[in-house]
């Protein structure tokens, strides 16, 4: 009898625990039938190597096909990986199809072969806020494996990027990381934890994903590793030869060459130099400017070849202020467009390290509501979406926040608008992002310390008639409405998609 009661209690406790965790998961699980995801427009440079893994959710095995695939490209029908050489200048209207035993799904894909890359914000993973100087080749490969196995790649995450600390340093306790910055030929030297940079990029590419790395225009990176100063051309070529597809260029010690207060041409110079060099390589290499917003970088980021530019300092130091950071970033919305994006830094949810001490990954300081807010705000702003937490500790909740394809569609929308902000009170505001299909994404945002009722008043938003409203996190239609009234929890964002 006692054993039976104990069993009952155990079952009850387990049910409570499960339902608590489940209640935080708002998004229905992906169906077994295919659903093709990802951007509907994609820029690549003619004649360069092309690699794209069609993001598609659904049970494997799955068969992929592509209509109107240019003959310079090949598709692997089992993996959905397209490779080859980008065709000549022009717009190619492709149609992706994925099929499995449960059904099929299609999606258009406009391939624009020309000068402009990143026609939608880039998406991927970055090592910094999880691993700092602990990063190794093994962890990078593992991150690529997990991007595939968790389904992150099936909703569009694509870049696997190492941040600082892949190259030798002259400080610290780890002998594997200490060594000369360059060899006798002036080639930048990775740490012993990165024995084969080309092998690493090849491995990431073998999954249909793309590889990114990091350096500084200064002699040293922010953690005292070797930077690119006076070796810019050699490094740009080396990164391309290794096969990297993304470079983050972080100001760091460049302050010793040019003070932050220097005139604008001096602030632009190192970024323009590297931007021109990257464009000379026979690869599409996305260029992320990281100089914390100096000299109003949003005004000239595109001009120096950047596809994205950090608009402020490190978000890891300001995690208690994601609403304020988003509002500040949104002030520059007019300067972003397809090909050039404001970057308010990485998504730090799930398990993250401690930015101040470089500590080991631990649960992030956010409530579940705040984690949804993080992703909602970044999607409404059309910010690059880089997860920067521990990939080995991703749980169902974190994946559900990172991987809702309807939320990601808002971020990746081909119009490329950052949401307009309508301030209602000092702590509440509405964000409205126009979408390519004529609809809007709307975020009702409550940065206050208490839950509050909020209204999205259609006439204030410029709508003349009732609107269809969809709850994007729950993927649920709410009906046709004259206005939308809701209670928004403390630090919450209610994310809607509305259409006529
Ligand atoms: C900072 C940068 C961070 C990270 C770090 C590496 O300057 O903003 O994102 O890259 O350097 O040392």
């Amino acid at each position: 009898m006692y054993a039976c009661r104990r069993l009952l209690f155990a079952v009850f406790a387990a049910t409570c625990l499960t339902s608590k965790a489940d209640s935080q998961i708002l998004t229905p699980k992906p169906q077994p039938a295919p659903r093709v995801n990802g951007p509907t427009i994609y820029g690549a440079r003619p004649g360069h190597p092309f690699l794209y893994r069609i993001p598609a959710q659904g049970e494997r095995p799955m068969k992929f096909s592509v209509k109107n695939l240019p003959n310079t490209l090949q598709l692997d029908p089992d993996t959905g990986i397209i490779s080859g050489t980008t065709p000549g200048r022009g717009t190619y209207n492709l149609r992706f199809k994925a099929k499995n035993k449960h059904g099929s799904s299609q999606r258009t894909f406009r391939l624009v072969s020309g000068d402009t890359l990143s026609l939608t914000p880039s998406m991927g993973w970055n090592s910094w806020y999880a691993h700092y100087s602990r990063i190794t080749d093994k962890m990078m490969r593992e991150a690529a494996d997990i991007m595939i196995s968790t389904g992150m790649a099936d909703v569009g995450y694509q870049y696997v990027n190492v941040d600082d600390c892949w190259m030798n340093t002259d400080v610290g306790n780890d002998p594997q990381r200490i060594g000369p910055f360059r060899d006798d030929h002036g080639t930048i030297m990775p740490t012993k934890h990165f024995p084969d940079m080309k092998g690493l990029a090849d491995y990431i590419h073998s999954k249909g994903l793309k590889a990114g790395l990091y350096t500084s225009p200064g002699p040293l990176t922010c953690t005292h590793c070797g930077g690119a100063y006076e070796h810019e051309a050699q490094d740009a070529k080396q990164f391309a030869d290794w096969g990297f597809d993304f470079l983050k260029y972080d100001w760091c010690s460049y302050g010793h060459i040019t003070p932050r207060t220097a005139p604008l041409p001096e602030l632009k110079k190192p970024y323009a130099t590297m931007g021109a060099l990257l464009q000379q390589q026979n690869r599409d290499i996305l260029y992320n400017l990281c100089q914390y917003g100096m000299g109003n970088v949003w005004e000239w980021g595109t001009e120096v070849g950047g596809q994205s530019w950090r608009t402020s300092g490190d978000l890891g130091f300001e995690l208690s202020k994601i609403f304020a950071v988003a509002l500040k970033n949104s002030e520059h919305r007019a300067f972003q467009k397809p090909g050039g994006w404001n970057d308010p830094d990485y998504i730090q949810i799930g398990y993250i390290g401690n930015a101040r001490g470089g500590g080991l990954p631990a649960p992030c300081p956010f409530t579940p509501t705040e984690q949804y807010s993080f992703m909602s705000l970044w999607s409404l702003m059309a910010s690059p979406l880089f997860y920067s937490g521990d990939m080995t500790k991703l749980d169902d909740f974190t994946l559900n926040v990172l991987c809702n394809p309807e939320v990601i569609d808002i971020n990746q929308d081909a119009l490329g608008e950052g949401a307009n902000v309508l301030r209602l009170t000092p702590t509440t505001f509405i964000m409205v992002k126009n979408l390519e299909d004529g609809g809007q994404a709307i975020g009702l945002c409550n940065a206050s310390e208490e839950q509050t009722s909020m209204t999205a008043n259609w006439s204030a938003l410029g709508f003349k008639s009732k609107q269809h409203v969809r709850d994007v996190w729950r993927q649920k239609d709410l009906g046709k409405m004259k206005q939308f009234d809701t209670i928004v929890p403390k630090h919450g964002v209610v994310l809607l998609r509305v259409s006529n």
Side-chain angles (χ1 to χ4, degrees):
M1 173 70 182
Y2 175 68
C4 179
R5 245 197 271 150
R6 264 218 330 216
L7 180 70
L8 271 177
F9 176 75
V11 170
F12 173 73
T15 317
C16 288
L17 281 176
T18 328
S19 50
K20 185 158 178 272
D22 281 354
S23 68
Q24 301 168 349
I25 295 184
L26 301 181
T27 306
K29 275 199 183 333
Q31 297 298 305
R35 176 191 166 119
V36 181
N37 295 309
T40 56
I41 189 163
Y42 184 89
R45 297 205 175 116
H48 283 188
F50 184 94
L51 181 68
Y52 187 81
R53 179 186 184 277
I54 300 172
Q57 292 170 299
E59 201 176 291
R60 266 52 178 187
M62 201 178 268
K63 275 279 178 218
F64 291 86
S65 57
V66 178
K67 205 166 148 196
N68 297 336
L69 189 68
N71 61 13
T72 58
L73 299 174
Q74 301 87 43
L75 166 75
D76 177 335
D78 297 318
T79 59
I81 298 174
I82 303 174
S83 58
T85 304
T86 304
R89 279 171 191 278
T91 298
Y92 301 81
N93 292 307
L94 279 52
R95 179 171 279 274
F96 296 156
K97 185 171 179 191
K99 200 168 170 237
N100 67 10
K101 67 175 184 214
H102 303 282
S104 71
S105 161
Q106 304 200 22
R107 195 162 170 101
T108 56
F109 184 83
R110 241 177 312 156
L111 169 59
V112 185
S113 171
D115 299 319
T116 313
L117 304 178
S118 196
L119 292 176
T120 63
S122 47
M123 292 178 64
W125 175 81
N126 171 286
S127 62
W128 182 244
Y129 285 115
H131 304 304
Y132 307 100
S133 65
R134 293 182 296 272
I135 192 64
T136 63
D137 168 283
K138 186 168 168 282
M139 288 162 140
M140 295 302 300
R141 290 175 194 241
E142 196 170 39
D145 295 344
I146 296 173
M147 193 175 277
I148 302 286
S149 65
T150 55
M152 283 178 73
D154 296 339
V155 292
Y157 292 92
Q158 195 183 17
Y159 288 88
V160 181
N161 291 0
V162 62
D163 205 274
D164 201 352
C165 305
W166 61 266
M167 62 294 253
N168 276 343
T169 176
D170 55 6
V171 295
N173 305 324
D174 178 356
Q176 304 275 90
R177 297 186 54 232
I178 298 186
F181 294 159
R182 296 188 178 265
D183 69 11
D184 294 346
H185 307 288
T187 307
I188 186 78
M189 288 190 68
T191 74
K192 294 203 175 61
H193 295 297
F194 284 88
D196 180 3
M197 292 299 278
K198 176 154 179 12
L200 173 59
D202 287 349
Y203 182 81
I204 294 171
H205 292 157
S206 73
K207 316 239 147 200
L209 302 174
K210 296 190 176 123
L213 47 41
Y214 162 109
T215 190
S216 168
L220 296 170
T221 70
C222 294
T223 63
H224 243 260
C225 297
Y229 185 61
E230 292 183 332
H231 293 269
E232 294 83 356
Q234 187 174 10
D235 286 358
K237 181 167 182 315
Q238 183 67 77
F239 300 159
D241 288 351
W242 282 336
F244 281 84
D245 310 289
F246 187 111
L247 176 70
K248 172 173 173 183
Y249 209 39
D250 190 359
W251 179 267
C252 298
S253 68
Y254 198 82
H256 299 304
I257 313 291
T258 295
R260 288 170 177 230
T261 48
L264 188 57
E266 300 286 308
L267 299 180
K268 285 166 123 174
K269 192 171 134 202
Y271 286 91
T273 302
M274 182 53 85
L277 288 163
L278 292 178
Q279 283 179 36
Q280 287 165 23
Q281 310 305 318
N282 180 35
R283 287 195 76 73
D284 291 351
I285 302 179
L286 293 200
Y287 185 31
N288 173 230
L289 319 184
C290 179
Q291 43 82 289
Y292 336 119
M294 283 185 288
N296 292 350
V297 63
W298 40 88
E299 292 174 6
W300 48 268
T302 302
E303 183 193 317
V304 297
Q307 280 76 34
S308 59
W309 42 83
R310 278 269 298 277
T311 50
S312 55
D314 289 17
L315 183 57
F317 298 138
E318 299 199 86
L319 285 183
S320 59
K321 300 188 201 149
I322 53 164
F323 283 92
V325 168
L327 284 168
K328 192 92 204 107
N329 184 68
S330 296
E331 286 173 14
H332 318 306
R333 64 183 281 271
F335 296 96
Q336 72 174 38
K337 59 174 188 301
W341 308 96
N342 294 319
D343 171 11
D345 213 350
Y346 307 131
I347 308 275
Q348 294 164 65
I349 63 174
Y351 275 68
I352 56 170
N354 171 348
R356 294 204 185 272
L360 286 166
C364 68
F366 297 117
T367 63
T369 298
E370 289 166 339
Q371 298 185 54
Y372 283 114
S373 297
F374 208 144
M375 191 70 187
S376 302
L377 293 167
W378 263 236
S379 295
L380 285 159
M381 291 188 293
S383 306
L385 288 182
F386 278 85
Y387 178 55
S388 190
D390 189 342
M391 295 286 272
T392 67
K393 295 200 168 66
L394 282 169
D395 55 21
D396 286 351
F397 174 74
T398 311
L399 282 167
N400 128 91
V401 177
L402 291 172
C403 293
N404 180 328
E406 294 195 21
V407 175
I408 291 172
D409 276 351
I410 292 173
N411 173 272
Q412 293 288 300
D413 186 77
L415 210 55
E417 255 195 30
N420 193 14
V421 178
L422 308 172
R423 298 297 285 253
L424 301 181
T425 70
T427 50
T428 58
F429 56 97
I430 295 187
M431 291 177 102
V432 186
K433 182 183 195 306
N434 293 315
L435 302 173
E436 198 194 24
D437 68 1
Q440 278 81 17
I442 295 185
L444 294 95
C445 310
N446 174 17
S448 83
E449 298 305 314
E450 278 165 26
Q451 69 171 31
T452 182
S453 57
M454 288 184 73
T455 297
N457 181 316
W458 289 171
S459 55
L461 299 178
F463 307 147
K464 297 204 172 61
S465 57
K466 282 187 175 181
Q467 300 284 311
H468 284 289
V469 178
R470 186 163 170 87
D471 177 330
V472 183
W473 280 112
R474 293 182 177 79
Q475 300 182 344
K476 202 168 143 194
D477 285 329
L478 303 179
K480 211 161 182 189
M481 300 183 173
K482 272 203 277 190
Q483 62 175 34
F484 181 78
D485 301 297
T486 191
I487 307 276
V488 188
K490 161 185 167 178
H491 300 174
V493 174
V494 170
L495 186 63
L496 307 173
R497 187 161 180 146
V498 304
S499 56
N500 253 320

